[in-house]
Amino acid sequence: VKEYPSYVNEIPQKDHMPKKIWTTRVLGKGRYGRVREAIYEMKNKQWNRCAVKFPVGDVTMEELENECKAWNRVYSKRNDGKDVAFLWTLNAHSVLVMPYVERIDEDKVRESYLKELKECIKLFAEVKIKHDDLEWRHVCFAKSKKKGLEDEIWIIDLGMLEEVVDDDDVDEL
């Protein structure tokens, strides 16, 4: 299998979406959807990858839209204010297109990312959102060209979030 680069700040923008996305392997599945790795050709003829979430069960379009909005609300700051996720139609299905990230699986490696994880949690606090199911399986990393190809921590599975309205609650995050 050919490896395609993935840099979070190169996620295609909705108005510059390629005509085709090819899904490859299943990355994960849960109560609200099945996520697949996908590849696409960018305008500069380079190939890149992203993640595509296909909703399952009784997931409504509103829930998918809310997850998309959450991705952009939390992470657009990392992408010069541009969206990092959007809804798109793929094979007649409404899907959520998101950055491709990789899970941090090993316990000893996880400890080395604690500082970056706290920084990522601050992104949620800044927009007054709390992740209701924050577990290590939702903590991932991706290479960032803006950070000299250093790893950036991303918290995923943004379908279960809670608005934080009290500033005291934000401090607890």
Side-chain angles (χ1 to χ4, degrees), residues 37-68:
E37 175 186 46
I39 58 170
Y40 61 90
E41 188 175 7
M42 299 179 348
K43 287 191 301 185
N44 62 4
K45 302 294 183 194
Q46 293 286 322
W47 288 88
N48 204 347
R49 57 186 170 174
C50 59
V52 177
K53 182 175 192 173
F54 292 85
V56 296
D58 58 355
V59 174
T60 67
M61 191 63 190
E62 181 181 4
E63 289 170 316
L64 199 62
E65 288 171 355
N66 287 339
E67 184 171 358
C68 182

Side-chain angles (χ1 to χ4, degrees), residues 23 25 67 82 87 98 115 117 123 134 138 154 172:
T23 60
R25 64 189 168 110
E67 184 171 358
K82 297 176 192 165
L87 299 176
M98 310 166 285
K115 179 183 172 198
L117 176 56
L123 292 174
L134 185 54
H138 296 136
W154 290 67
E172 289 181 26

Side-chain angles (χ1 to χ4, degrees), residues 58-131:
D58 58 355
V59 174
T60 67
M61 191 63 190
E62 181 181 4
E63 289 170 316
L64 199 62
E65 288 171 355
N66 287 339
E67 184 171 358
C68 182
K69 288 176 187 175
W71 271 92
N72 293 323
R73 190 169 158 192
V74 174
Y75 293 118
S76 64
K77 182 177 179 179
R78 287 185 170 173
N79 197 33
D80 297 327
K82 297 176 192 165
D83 289 349
V84 297
F86 55 88
L87 299 176
W88 202 55
T89 303
L90 183 62
N91 297 334
H93 297 280
S94 292
V95 297
L96 175 59
V97 179
M98 310 166 285
Y100 175 84
V101 294
E102 296 186 34
R103 284 208 166 103
I104 303 170
D105 289 325
E106 298 177 37
D107 289 336
K108 63 181 180 181
V109 175
R110 289 176 178 168
E111 290 180 23
S112 67
Y113 285 108
L114 289 178
K115 179 183 172 198
E116 290 85 357
L117 176 56
K118 288 177 184 176
E119 292 299 316
C120 188
I121 291 171
K122 284 181 186 178
L123 292 174
F124 283 76
E126 287 173 9
V127 295
K128 296 186 177 189
I129 290 178
K130 177 184 174 194
H131 197 294

Side-chain angles (χ1 to χ4, degrees), residues 108-173:
K108 63 181 180 181
V109 175
R110 289 176 178 168
E111 290 180 23
S112 67
Y113 285 108
L114 289 178
K115 179 183 172 198
E116 290 85 357
L117 176 56
K118 288 177 184 176
E119 292 299 316
C120 188
I121 291 171
K122 284 181 186 178
L123 292 174
F124 283 76
E126 287 173 9
V127 295
K128 296 186 177 189
I129 290 178
K130 177 184 174 194
H131 197 294
D132 278 350
D133 190 22
L134 185 54
E135 296 183 20
W136 276 107
R137 64 192 169 98
H138 296 136
V139 177
C140 301
F141 70 94
K143 301 288 183 195
S144 171
K145 279 189 172 179
K146 291 180 183 179
K147 295 181 90 179
L149 296 184
E150 288 181 33
D151 292 342
E152 240 177 5
I153 294 298
W154 290 67
I155 297 171
I156 62 166
D157 203 0
L158 304 186
M160 296 183 62
L161 301 175
E162 180 182 323
E163 292 283 334
V164 179
V165 291
D166 189 347
D167 285 337
D168 292 335
D169 292 338
V170 170
D171 294 336
E172 289 181 26
L173 292 176

